[in-house]
Amino acid sequence: MSLPAVPLAAGPSPSPSPSGTAPTVPTLRDAQQSATNAASWVEQNWSTWLAIGLRVLLILVIAAVLRVMVRRAITQLIDRMNRAPQGGAGTSLGGLLVNAERRRQRSQAIASVLRSVASFLILGTAALMVLATFQIDLSPLLASAGVAGVAVGFGARNLVTDFLSGVFMILEDQYGVGDTIDAGIAAGEVIEVGLRVTKLRGDNGEIWYVRNGEVKRIGNLSQGWATAGVDVTVKASEDLDHLKSTLDEVAEKMSKEEPWNELLWSPIEVLGLDSVLLDSMVVRVSAKTMPGKSLTVERELRWRIKRAFDAADIRIVGGATAPAEGGPATDPTAAAAAPSVYANTASPQSEAASPLVPQRPTPK
């Protein structure tokens, strides 16, 4: 018995395939297609990118030029402020009021503040315009900046107050280096002026650091002029004409001598009687002086008046009037009352004046 023949399929026999998908290798045609797409995208968008770049460059150039121009204008303004006081230097008052160091520090502080504010505004605006050019939404940024500004304002309100007070103090020229001021919480000579803190040198050499925001009132003792006033107390029996002529002679002689002729900004005037009492009267002498020199002028004026009065035999009194020289000596106990007999309760006068006579014990 023979087996049937099995027909064989024509062609090669199938081979087993490996598991998974084989990576496809990009061909040269695929690379050419990608390069074509990129070039087409660049060709379609290069005008947009070029426009954005030119716009950003234009913003930066304009901001830089504007910043330079503003800073130069601020410098010219400060230089003009420095030259302005020199116009009054021809007079003695104008020449003495000019303080080079004070003017220099004030101008530097004002220039620094104005330059900082101008740079912040110009560069900040330019940065926002650049971000807007790239189509970046600025609403979240502005909202965050507003919230941060409020938080910083609440947290550093004292610092902001000190800074703003310092700015207005410098702009209004309330005081400067070399001035003697009374700030309420401290007094002394100004040795440094800052936007936040002012340094004062006290009378005993101590240095006070005064925050500008804490100063509520300022008394500047170095601006304009000062007043030197001397009160002379003499006896009420003195001749007024002789007294006035002596004071006029002292004033005229002092006004012609150096250095008092430079410290005195007005003639020394005898204002007249300030008060009249039974045994004394007060004569007021006054003059305008250079700022800060009133005490010096007052001391010298008292010295000269005392010497002139001694030469003219005019007696100066003060407080309780002293007894006349050569008079009878007074008894210090003359004003004291004599002891009274009524002080002793056992005296006959006390017993007679008493409504109830005390019973004396009878002797046994």
Side-chain angles (χ1 to χ4, degrees), residues 35-93:
T36 303
N37 295 336
S40 177
W41 183 83
V42 171
E43 183 179 1
Q44 294 176 359
N45 297 278
W46 74 271
S47 58
T48 303
W49 287 104
L50 181 60
I52 293 176
L54 292 177
R55 190 177 302 174
V56 171
L57 181 61
L58 182 62
I59 291 174
L60 296 179
V61 170
I62 292 177
V65 172
L66 184 61
R67 181 172 178 267
V68 171
M69 293 176 60
V70 171
R71 291 173 68 91
R72 184 173 301 177
I74 292 173
T75 303
Q76 293 178 357
L77 176 63
I78 297 303
D79 293 341
R80 186 177 301 175
M81 290 175 57
N82 290 337
R83 292 193 300 266
Q86 296 179 1
T91 61
S92 59
L93 178 61

Side-chain angles (χ1 to χ4, degrees), residues 187-342:
E189 181 182 355
V190 180
I191 60 177
E192 185 177 340
V193 177
L195 293 177
R196 193 182 69 87
V197 175
T198 298
K199 293 173 64 175
L200 303 178
R201 174 76 68 178
D203 295 335
N204 298 325
E206 69 276 10
I207 296 180
W208 298 97
Y209 294 85
V210 181
R211 288 171 44 192
N212 296 327
E214 293 184 350
V215 178
K216 304 302 180 184
R217 51 99 175 166
I218 289 290
N220 196 325
L221 307 179
S222 300
Q223 287 185 353
W225 43 266
T227 301
V230 175
D231 293 333
V232 184
T233 306
V234 296
K235 293 190 298 183
S237 59
E238 295 289 346
D239 186 5
L240 293 178
D241 295 334
H242 181 48
L243 180 65
K244 188 176 185 306
S245 62
T246 304
L247 292 176
D248 290 338
E249 182 180 354
V250 172
E252 183 179 0
K253 185 178 180 181
M254 183 176 176
S255 300
K256 294 180 179 179
E257 295 181 0
E258 294 183 356
W260 311 110
N261 55 354
E262 297 181 357
L263 300 182
L264 291 170
W265 285 5
S266 71
I268 301 176
E269 299 180 1
V270 181
L271 301 181
L273 293 177
D274 194 63
S275 64
V276 179
L277 303 178
L278 293 177
D279 57 350
S280 65
M281 56 184 177
V282 179
V283 181
R284 180 78 172 177
V285 182
S286 177
K288 292 183 180 179
T289 67
M290 180 187 300
K293 299 298 181 181
S294 59
L295 294 179
T296 305
V297 174
E298 287 177 0
R299 295 188 183 101
E300 180 66 17
L301 191 57
R302 292 190 187 98
W303 181 281
R304 292 172 179 261
I305 290 175
K306 178 62 171 64
R307 295 180 61 180
F309 278 12
D310 290 343
D313 197 18
I314 300 175
R315 187 173 184 183
I316 298 178
V317 297
T321 305
E325 296 180 359
T330 57
D331 186 7
T333 62
S340 174
V341 294
Y342 293 97

